Amino acid sequence: MGLMIDTTLDGEQANIALTGELDASTVAQFKREVARVAATERFSVLCLRMQELGFLASAGLGALLEVYRTVSPRAAVVLVDVTDDVRATLEKTGFAKRMTLRSSSEL
Amino acid sequence: MQKRTFPAELESLAPIRDFVRAQAAPVLDTPAVYKLVLAVDELSTNVVIHGYGKRGIAGHLDVAVSIQDGFVSVTLEDQAPPFDASVAALPTPEMLSAPLEDRHPGGLGLMLIRDGVDIFHYERAGDRNRNTLIKHLADCRRPE
């Protein structure tokens, strides 16, 4: 299925919507897009919209860590509309306690 | 038993997941299928990147799924150098609760493998690594 990425800007909020699967074969694509947005856009909140992300492997967790370290000095990172399966992985690995998870209705 | 051979490359990860998911979905409930598929993905990724890739050798990954009375078994075989992931060190609770600024991502894949199945067994069979993942149906059988 691969990974599709849709990036939009809404004022100070950057939205990166992920559709598909974030694994070792797609993680470079995700990191490139975040690096591009971080280098070219101004924002104070980065929302990673994950409602349509059906699979998250440990390679994706490593990427989330990189994204957090890249962006967090200047902007908040929020994981939005995480599915139950992905949430279970985030909880098991301790990421859920350290990252901000929200539903889109809470934004 | 259903068996398929995949090239040991990252592009095979999604087809491997699809293959295992298709076999397991009729008998396991949805969360158990996801965790089993995740465990298989992590193991396959290790073989592709660390087993074959870092040594610059091409190869294949044989994946077999067996549905038996009471459990689902997935066996992965490769011809990379010997490596027993079943005894590799896992992240400690302190590492898992560390602030993101201080965290190291290493070991999370191994953790997800062991979390996703009831039994994770490794053996060296001739020139092959054989990893077997077993999920019992007792608590996660798909409802009729």
Side-chain angles (χ1 to χ4, degrees), chain B residues 45-64:
Chain B
T45 300
N46 274 355
V47 172
V48 171
I49 293 178
H50 300 293
Y52 288 114
K54 285 192 174 173
R55 292 165 176 83
I57 49 180
H60 292 88
L61 192 53
D62 295 325
V63 184

Side-chain angles (χ1 to χ4, degrees), chain B residues 5 37 39 134:
Chain B
T5 298
V37 168
I134 293 177

Side-chain angles (χ1 to χ4, degrees), chain A residues 67-85:
Chain A
V67 167
Y68 178 84
R69 289 172 177 164
T70 300
V71 170
S72 65
R74 67 180 228 217
V77 179
V78 183
L79 308 186
V80 181
D81 291 339
V82 173
T83 64
D84 289 345
D85 289 328

Side-chain angles (χ1 to χ4, degrees), chain A residues 1-2 21-25 54-59 61-62 65 68-69 72 85-86 89 92-95 98-99, chain B residues 10 13-14 17 21 31 34 37-38 41-42 45 49 96-105 108-109 111-112 115:
Chain A
M1 177 174 193
E21 302 175 316
L22 189 51
D23 65 4
S25 73
F55 184 80
L56 175 69
S58 65
L61 294 172
L65 208 49
Y68 178 84
R69 289 172 177 164
S72 65
D85 289 328
V86 169
T89 298
K92 182 71 187 177
T93 54
F95 277 65
R98 293 291 184 178
M99 299 199 87
Chain B
L10 293 178
L13 294 175
R17 291 197 300 268
R21 188 181 295 117
Y34 184 90
V37 168
L38 179 56
D41 178 87
E42 297 291 350
T45 300
I49 293 178
L96 294 175
S97 60
L100 296 178
E101 292 80 0
D102 302 328
R103 280 199 66 157
H104 187 279
L108 293 175
M111 184 181 169
L112 294 172
D115 179 60

Side-chain angles (χ1 to χ4, degrees), chain B residues 7 13 19 25 29-30 33 38 42 44 48-49 52 66 70-73 76 84 103 105 111 114 125-126 138 144:
Chain B
L13 294 175
F19 171 63
D29 64 26
T30 303
V33 171
L38 179 56
E42 297 291 350
S44 303
V48 171
I49 293 178
Y52 288 114
S66 175
F71 64 91
V72 177
S73 170
L76 292 92
D84 184 359
R103 280 199 66 157
M111 184 181 169
R114 293 193 214 174
E144 295 292 334

